Amino acid sequence: AQTVTQSQPEMSVQEAETVTLSCTYDTSENNYYLFWYKQPPSRQMILVIRQEAYKQQNATENRFSVNFQKAAKSFSLKISDSQLGDTAMYFCAFGWSNTGKLIFGQGTTLQVKP
Amino acid sequence: GAGVSQTPSNKVTEKGKYVELRCDPISGHTALYWYRQSLGQGPEFLIYFQGTGAADDSGLPNDRFFAVRPEGSVSTLKIQRTERGDSAVYLCASSLTKAGGFPNEQFFGPGTRLTVL
């Protein structure tokens, strides 16, 4: 069975600094997708970034980038120039290539301090 | 355009009662998902619809839970004989489906917070 593990329940970072959130997963699949979602207190889940497992190049979206290590089954999220609006819970998720079903990690609460 | 909407936003019920939770996906999205999120946890997959049919209902915890999507748009999650352990936020998401069936970005609704007393 696929599992997703986020080992950091809580993180904090000063505004404008860089922070990295960790995620590891376990699967026997070869084709899959990985995602980072942000969930602010409003409960609305927002997609931050996605990575196709068959692509070696790490995905980047503005201040957000990932470090995808397929052999190590690791998928960390780096947030550069942290902003107060980045304060939220962040979830790592695994998705199959033939269905949209997602398996989420336990989440990391990120607090950006002024 | 409008995003995924869910009604009600909050629902309080008594143990043993029946509840229905509604999800309106983004227009044109053929795939629809239900997840359950307990306090402090990540969302847990319940069921996935492709069009009108349930393509994967492996996450439904037991036969008290049932979901329908009769016209391939709006979906209703139905919970019979509610128990206190059913208390959670129920999230709905929708996505387009590319040719070939590869998953697209899932757009989530704000969720329905269900409290069973």
Side-chain angles (χ1 to χ4, degrees), chain B residues 22-100:
Chain B
R22 176 187 169 106
C23 172
D24 281 84
I26 293 172
S27 178
H29 281 193
T30 58
L32 185 145
Y33 313 84
W34 284 99
Y35 296 86
R36 177 170 70 174
Q37 187 175 21
S38 300
L39 189 63
Q41 301 295 314
E44 175 189 21
F45 170 79
L46 295 177
I47 187 170
Y48 154 53
F49 287 90
Q50 184 57 47
T52 60
D56 184 347
D57 65 357
S58 62
L60 294 178
N62 51 60
D63 61 6
R64 295 187 298 106
F65 288 74
F66 189 71
V68 295
R69 195 186 185 200
E71 297 179 356
S73 178
V74 171
S75 176
T76 305
L77 178 66
K78 307 180 181 190
I79 311 174
Q80 298 178 323
R81 305 183 303 280
T82 52
E83 300 177 357
R84 293 192 180 88
D86 298 334
S87 296
V89 173
Y90 289 81
L91 296 171
C92 176
S94 70
S95 70
L96 290 167
T97 302
K98 290 179 181 176

Side-chain angles (χ1 to χ4, degrees), chain A residues 96-113:
Chain A
W96 281 260
S97 62
N98 59 350
T99 172
K101 174 181 174 179
L102 297 177
I103 301 296
F104 286 85
Q106 308 93 316
T108 297
T109 300
L110 176 66
Q111 177 76 41
V112 180
K113 299 179 178 179

Side-chain angles (χ1 to χ4, degrees), chain A residues 18-86:
Chain A
T18 296
V19 64
T20 298
L21 307 184
S22 301
C23 173
T24 58
Y25 60 94
D26 189 24
T27 184
S28 58
E29 302 283 334
N30 192 46
N31 294 321
Y32 51 88
Y33 292 75
L34 295 165
F35 305 84
W36 279 97
Y37 277 89
K38 169 185 177 181
Q39 188 178 42
S42 67
R43 295 199 311 241
Q44 191 83 40
M45 295 280 279
I46 302 164
L47 179 66
V48 174
I49 198 165
R50 61 182 268 176
Q51 175 82 40
E52 291 90 339
Y54 63 86
K55 289 187 176 179
Q56 292 185 337
Q57 186 173 6
N58 289 325
T60 299
E61 289 286 342
N62 301 313
R63 298 183 294 109
F64 300 87
S65 62
V66 299
N67 183 2
F68 173 47
Q69 301 290 328
K70 190 173 184 179
K73 296 179 182 172
S74 171
F75 184 61
S76 61
L77 174 70
K78 185 172 82 170
I79 306 174
S80 304
D81 186 25
S82 297
Q83 300 176 0
L84 296 178
D86 296 333

